[in-house]
Amino acid sequence: MKRFFKFGVAIVALLVVVGCCSECAKECVGKEQTVIENILTRRSIRDYKAEPVCREQMAKVIECGLYAPNAMNKQTWAVRVVDAPDFIEGVTAIAVEQMPRIAEQEGFRNIFRNAPTVAFIACPEESYSGEYDCGLLSENMMLAAWSMGIGSCCLGSVVPVMNSEAAKPYLERLQLPEGYKLLVGIAFGYPAQEIPAPTPRDMSKGFYVE
Ligand SMILES: Cc1cc2nc3c(=O)[nH]c(=O)nc-3n(C[C@H](O)[C@H](O)[C@H](O)COP(=O)(O)O)c2cc1C
């Protein structure tokens, strides 16, 4: 009887998950990579298809970010996701005016490594854990994305552009809470390049001490 009950609960849970998902989310059910494989195969992706990331998938990415560990569960972060072409093109135009040479890069379409979807991550200016919390949140988001075949790339380079006077209207559109500073942008999109080989890591940086 107990076993029958458990089976029933599992079936209902599965129906709820599948029933609630749109087509793009359904494709991913059961295809998630294992955590370790996911971590070791993620690479920064620097060219993307034009199609924005499906918003339902992106909602899951945001949720995974917000479930990151964070000091005293104060959740000292703000995440804003943008896929509006006028935003991406507008900020790109400002960046090109400031640094005309960036537009000379082969295949250049925008300053977010051609990503159609960008997350902006911010934390309070005065916070002992904000930057750390946001780092954990960012990695959660990038790994969650990768598990669904969505590439990503952290972009520190977009922060000075977003903080420039010309980009003020775009920064305001992010509606960051008072006293928050922008830490990083994260490009998200479906890769339009081969997945790069692993970048070398110095394994001597971590070891047991006896
Ligand atoms: C805080 C931060 C800022 C970064 N800024 C940039 C950037 O402006 N442009 C870029 O192409 N990559 C940027 N990266 C990506 C790193 O270059 C990349 O993670 C690193 O080279 C390791 O490669 P992998 O991500 O493929 O393992 C940034 C990464 C971090 C964590």
Side-chain angles (χ1 to χ4, degrees):
M1 182 68 188
K2 218 168 157 187
R3 250 176 62 194
F4 186 74
F5 177 73
K6 272 189 193 164
F7 181 70
V9 169
I11 292 288
V12 169
L14 186 69
L15 287 176
V16 168
V17 169
V18 173
C20 292
C21 290
S22 74
E23 284 314 302
C24 76
K26 262 188 216 166
E27 274 176 28
C28 301
V29 174
K31 289 189 190 163
E32 297 86 351
Q33 297 165 310
T34 61
V35 173
I36 292 172
E37 185 191 351
N38 177 260
I39 291 169
L40 295 181
T41 58
R42 181 213 55 82
R43 297 268 75 83
S44 289
I45 299 300
R46 296 190 170 89
D47 196 18
Y48 298 91
K49 294 180 183 163
E51 173 196 358
V53 178
C54 157
R55 286 195 172 194
E56 205 165 354
Q57 288 182 314
M58 211 54 209
K60 190 50 80 183
V61 169
I62 296 168
E63 184 186 356
C64 289
L66 297 177
Y67 267 85
N70 63 96
M72 293 180 281
N73 200 26
K74 285 193 171 170
Q75 304 169 54
T76 49
W77 46 44
V79 180
R80 302 289 183 266
V81 180
V82 174
D83 62 8
D86 76 294
F87 189 112
I88 289 170
E89 287 159 18
V91 176
T92 297
I94 291 166
V96 170
E97 198 158 320
Q98 293 169 356
M99 302 164 282
R101 290 192 62 180
I102 58 171
E104 292 168 16
Q105 287 164 14
E106 205 188 318
F108 177 89
R109 294 200 309 275
N110 73 46
I111 61 152
F112 304 100
R113 295 286 186 189
N114 292 344
T117 301
V118 183
F120 293 93
I121 313 297
C123 76
E125 275 163 30
E126 307 294 333
S127 161
Y128 96 94
S129 69
E131 295 192 12
Y132 196 100
D133 296 343
C134 283
L136 294 168
L137 166 138
S138 301
E139 178 70 333
N140 264 19
M141 290 180 72
M142 291 189 284
L143 292 177
W146 188 231
S147 78
M148 295 186 276
I150 300 162
S152 65
C153 185
C154 253
L155 297 172
S157 51
V158 303
V159 175
V161 179
M162 287 296 293
N163 284 335
S164 68
E165 192 56 31
K168 215 172 166 187
Y170 295 99
L171 192 65
E172 282 171 5
R173 269 171 76 175
L174 296 184
Q175 300 171 58
L176 297 178
E178 186 66 28
Y180 270 53
K181 63 177 177 185
L182 195 59
L183 278 180
V184 80
I186 310 178
F188 286 100
Y190 305 108
Q193 60 166 95
E194 272 192 34
I195 308 309
T199 42
R201 297 301 203 253
D202 177 355
M203 299 310 287
S204 73
K205 299 245 179 192
F207 52 85
Y208 265 103
V209 288
E210 304 294 354

